[in-house]
Amino acid sequence: GSDNPGGWEGLGSGPAIASLAIRFVAQGATTRIGEMAGFDFNRITPELIMQAAEAGDAVAQDVLRRGGVYIGVGLSDNL
């Protein structure tokens, strides 16, 4: 594991994924994430983002894709 919070493990973590989604919502991106969370940033979780992504929300899909890329790169670097 990496002790670097900016490393792949940190960037692909649940809190980092939620934080990215919160940023998109706060910036006014066209997404249902905020609505699904009742516009309470504390309720934006990776699980909620997954639900939005499964419902076809493009922003949620992008957030999950970015987290997956960080994890994939990190894992491939450790092979």
Side-chain angles (χ1 to χ4, degrees), residues 1-13 70 74-75 77-78:
S2 170
D3 292 330
N4 178 2
W8 69 271
E9 292 168 314
L11 294 170
S13 70
Y70 290 125
L75 290 174
D77 284 348
N78 285 305

PDB file of all heavy atoms in Angstrom, residues 1-13 70 74-75 77-78:
ATOM      1  N   GLY A   1       0.818  -1.195   0.000  1.00  0.00           N
ATOM      2  CA  GLY A   1       0.000   0.000   0.000  1.00  0.00           C
ATOM      3  C   GLY A   1       0.849   1.241   0.000  1.00  0.00           C
ATOM      4  O   GLY A   1       2.037   1.209   0.252  1.00  0.00           O
ATOM      5  N   SER A   2       0.207   2.323  -0.309  1.00  0.00           N
ATOM      6  CA  SER A   2       0.900   3.606  -0.384  1.00  0.00           C
ATOM      7  C   SER A   2       0.416   4.496   0.755  1.00  0.00           C
ATOM      8  O   SER A   2      -0.766   4.565   1.037  1.00  0.00           O
ATOM      9  CB  SER A   2       0.594   4.270  -1.729  1.00  0.00           C
ATOM     10  OG  SER A   2       1.054   5.601  -1.737  1.00  0.00           O
ATOM     11  N   ASP A   3       1.350   5.184   1.390  1.00  0.00           N
ATOM     12  CA  ASP A   3       0.982   6.131   2.441  1.00  0.00           C
ATOM     13  C   ASP A   3       0.719   7.514   1.868  1.00  0.00           C
ATOM     14  O   ASP A   3       0.450   8.451   2.601  1.00  0.00           O
ATOM     15  CB  ASP A   3       2.083   6.211   3.496  1.00  0.00           C
ATOM     16  CG  ASP A   3       2.202   4.921   4.292  1.00  0.00           C
ATOM     17  OD1 ASP A   3       1.177   4.241   4.447  1.00  0.00           O
ATOM     18  OD2 ASP A   3       3.307   4.608   4.754  1.00  0.00           O
ATOM     19  N   ASN A   4       0.791   7.653   0.557  1.00  0.00           N
ATOM     20  CA  ASN A   4       0.610   8.930  -0.116  1.00  0.00           C
ATOM     21  C   ASN A   4      -0.871   9.151  -0.411  1.00  0.00           C
ATOM     22  O   ASN A   4      -1.443   8.446  -1.235  1.00  0.00           O
ATOM     23  CB  ASN A   4       1.426   8.939  -1.415  1.00  0.00           C
ATOM     24  CG  ASN A   4       1.264  10.207  -2.210  1.00  0.00           C
ATOM     25  OD1 ASN A   4       0.564  11.131  -1.800  1.00  0.00           O
ATOM     26  ND2 ASN A   4       1.901  10.254  -3.370  1.00  0.00           N
ATOM     27  N   PRO A   5      -1.534  10.121   0.236  1.00  0.00           N
ATOM     28  CA  PRO A   5      -2.964  10.336  -0.007  1.00  0.00           C
ATOM     29  C   PRO A   5      -3.252  10.768  -1.442  1.00  0.00           C
ATOM     30  O   PRO A   5      -4.365  10.642  -1.918  1.00  0.00           O
ATOM     31  CB  PRO A   5      -3.356  11.424   0.991  1.00  0.00           C
ATOM     32  CG  PRO A   5      -2.074  12.021   1.457  1.00  0.00           C
ATOM     33  CD  PRO A   5      -0.990  11.022   1.225  1.00  0.00           C
ATOM     34  N   GLY A   6      -2.241  11.259  -2.161  1.00  0.00           N
ATOM     35  CA  GLY A   6      -2.420  11.616  -3.567  1.00  0.00           C
ATOM     36  C   GLY A   6      -2.059  10.481  -4.497  1.00  0.00           C
ATOM     37  O   GLY A   6      -2.101  10.625  -5.707  1.00  0.00           O
ATOM     38  N   GLY A   7      -1.701   9.331  -3.915  1.00  0.00           N
ATOM     39  CA  GLY A   7      -1.365   8.157  -4.713  1.00  0.00           C
ATOM     40  C   GLY A   7      -2.616   7.472  -5.237  1.00  0.00           C
ATOM     41  O   GLY A   7      -3.748   7.850  -4.926  1.00  0.00           O
ATOM     42  N   TRP A   8      -2.406   6.442  -6.019  1.00  0.00           N
ATOM     43  CA  TRP A   8      -3.534   5.766  -6.670  1.00  0.00           C
ATOM     44  C   TRP A   8      -4.555   5.230  -5.684  1.00  0.00           C
ATOM     45  O   TRP A   8      -5.755   5.288  -5.963  1.00  0.00           O
ATOM     46  CB  TRP A   8      -3.031   4.673  -7.610  1.00  0.00           C
ATOM     47  CG  TRP A   8      -2.404   3.484  -6.938  1.00  0.00           C
ATOM     48  CD1 TRP A   8      -1.092   3.323  -6.604  1.00  0.00           C
ATOM     49  CD2 TRP A   8      -3.061   2.286  -6.524  1.00  0.00           C
ATOM     50  NE1 TRP A   8      -0.898   2.103  -6.003  1.00  0.00           N
ATOM     51  CE2 TRP A   8      -2.080   1.439  -5.947  1.00  0.00           C
ATOM     52  CE3 TRP A   8      -4.374   1.834  -6.576  1.00  0.00           C
ATOM     53  CZ2 TRP A   8      -2.384   0.180  -5.440  1.00  0.00           C
ATOM     54  CZ3 TRP A   8      -4.676   0.577  -6.073  1.00  0.00           C
ATOM     55  CH2 TRP A   8      -3.688  -0.236  -5.506  1.00  0.00           C
ATOM     56  N   GLU A   9      -4.098   4.729  -4.527  1.00  0.00           N
ATOM     57  CA  GLU A   9      -5.050   4.189  -3.557  1.00  0.00           C
ATOM     58  C   GLU A   9      -5.943   5.287  -2.992  1.00  0.00           C
ATOM     59  O   GLU A   9      -7.137   5.098  -2.804  1.00  0.00           O
ATOM     60  CB  GLU A   9      -4.316   3.465  -2.432  1.00  0.00           C
ATOM     61  CG  GLU A   9      -3.639   2.198  -2.897  1.00  0.00           C
ATOM     62  CD  GLU A   9      -2.678   1.642  -1.870  1.00  0.00           C
ATOM     63  OE1 GLU A   9      -1.893   2.438  -1.309  1.00  0.00           O
ATOM     64  OE2 GLU A   9      -2.704   0.430  -1.648  1.00  0.00           O
ATOM     65  N   GLY A  10      -5.353   6.454  -2.734  1.00  0.00           N
ATOM     66  CA  GLY A  10      -6.136   7.579  -2.232  1.00  0.00           C
ATOM     67  C   GLY A  10      -7.083   8.121  -3.279  1.00  0.00           C
ATOM     68  O   GLY A  10      -8.247   8.418  -2.991  1.00  0.00           O
ATOM     69  N   LEU A  11      -6.603   8.253  -4.521  1.00  0.00           N
ATOM     70  CA  LEU A  11      -7.424   8.832  -5.585  1.00  0.00           C
ATOM     71  C   LEU A  11      -8.551   7.901  -6.021  1.00  0.00           C
ATOM     72  O   LEU A  11      -9.561   8.357  -6.539  1.00  0.00           O
ATOM     73  CB  LEU A  11      -6.533   9.195  -6.780  1.00  0.00           C
ATOM     74  CG  LEU A  11      -5.533  10.316  -6.510  1.00  0.00           C
ATOM     75  CD1 LEU A  11      -4.545  10.431  -7.661  1.00  0.00           C
ATOM     76  CD2 LEU A  11      -6.243  11.634  -6.277  1.00  0.00           C
ATOM     77  N   GLY A  12      -8.371   6.609  -5.817  1.00  0.00           N
ATOM     78  CA  GLY A  12      -9.411   5.651  -6.195  1.00  0.00           C
ATOM     79  C   GLY A  12     -10.275   5.220  -5.034  1.00  0.00           C
ATOM     80  O   GLY A  12     -11.124   4.345  -5.170  1.00  0.00           O
ATOM     81  N   SER A  13     -10.097   5.844  -3.867  1.00  0.00           N
ATOM     82  CA  SER A  13     -10.844   5.443  -2.671  1.00  0.00           C
ATOM     83  C   SER A  13     -12.280   5.964  -2.691  1.00  0.00           C
ATOM     84  O   SER A  13     -12.607   6.895  -3.429  1.00  0.00           O
ATOM     85  CB  SER A  13     -10.144   5.986  -1.419  1.00  0.00           C
ATOM     86  OG  SER A  13     -10.288   7.398  -1.359  1.00  0.00           O
ATOM     87  N   TYR A  70      -7.619   5.254 -11.811  1.00  0.00           N
ATOM     88  CA  TYR A  70      -6.566   5.361 -10.793  1.00  0.00           C
ATOM     89  C   TYR A  70      -6.231   3.992 -10.206  1.00  0.00           C
ATOM     90  O   TYR A  70      -5.060   3.653 -10.027  1.00  0.00           O
ATOM     91  CB  TYR A  70      -6.973   6.313  -9.666  1.00  0.00           C
ATOM     92  CG  TYR A  70      -7.010   7.753 -10.074  1.00  0.00           C
ATOM     93  CD1 TYR A  70      -8.150   8.525  -9.887  1.00  0.00           C
ATOM     94  CD2 TYR A  70      -5.903   8.375 -10.641  1.00  0.00           C
ATOM     95  CE1 TYR A  70      -8.195   9.863 -10.260  1.00  0.00           C
ATOM     96  CE2 TYR A  70      -5.928   9.712 -11.019  1.00  0.00           C
ATOM     97  CZ  TYR A  70      -7.081  10.445 -10.824  1.00  0.00           C
ATOM     98  OH  TYR A  70      -7.113  11.760 -11.187  1.00  0.00           O
ATOM     99  N   GLY A  74      -2.658   2.031 -10.728  1.00  0.00           N
ATOM    100  CA  GLY A  74      -1.913   1.636  -9.529  1.00  0.00           C
ATOM    101  C   GLY A  74      -1.645   0.144  -9.473  1.00  0.00           C
ATOM    102  O   GLY A  74      -0.537  -0.279  -9.157  1.00  0.00           O
ATOM    103  N   LEU A  75      -2.651  -0.643  -9.810  1.00  0.00           N
ATOM    104  CA  LEU A  75      -2.460  -2.090  -9.788  1.00  0.00           C
ATOM    105  C   LEU A  75      -1.458  -2.529 -10.839  1.00  0.00           C
ATOM    106  O   LEU A  75      -0.604  -3.375 -10.582  1.00  0.00           O
ATOM    107  CB  LEU A  75      -3.798  -2.810  -9.985  1.00  0.00           C
ATOM    108  CG  LEU A  75      -4.780  -2.701  -8.823  1.00  0.00           C
ATOM    109  CD1 LEU A  75      -6.112  -3.326  -9.203  1.00  0.00           C
ATOM    110  CD2 LEU A  75      -4.205  -3.352  -7.578  1.00  0.00           C
ATOM    111  N   ASP A  77       0.997  -0.854 -12.030  1.00  0.00           N
ATOM    112  CA  ASP A  77       2.336  -0.430 -11.617  1.00  0.00           C
ATOM    113  C   ASP A  77       2.923  -1.360 -10.553  1.00  0.00           C
ATOM    114  O   ASP A  77       4.127  -1.365 -10.329  1.00  0.00           O
ATOM    115  CB  ASP A  77       2.316   1.000 -11.053  1.00  0.00           C
ATOM    116  CG  ASP A  77       2.193   2.056 -12.135  1.00  0.00           C
ATOM    117  OD1 ASP A  77       2.349   1.727 -13.325  1.00  0.00           O
ATOM    118  OD2 ASP A  77       1.942   3.228 -11.788  1.00  0.00           O
ATOM    119  N   ASN A  78       2.064  -2.119  -9.895  1.00  0.00           N
ATOM    120  CA  ASN A  78       2.529  -3.009  -8.831  1.00  0.00           C
ATOM    121  C   ASN A  78       2.711  -4.459  -9.284  1.00  0.00           C
ATOM    122  O   ASN A  78       2.966  -5.322  -8.476  1.00  0.00           O
ATOM    123  CB  ASN A  78       1.567  -2.945  -7.638  1.00  0.00           C
ATOM    124  CG  ASN A  78       1.724  -1.676  -6.856  1.00  0.00           C
ATOM    125  OD1 ASN A  78       2.820  -1.364  -6.408  1.00  0.00           O
ATOM    126  ND2 ASN A  78       0.663  -0.916  -6.719  1.00  0.00           N
TER     127      ASN A  78
END
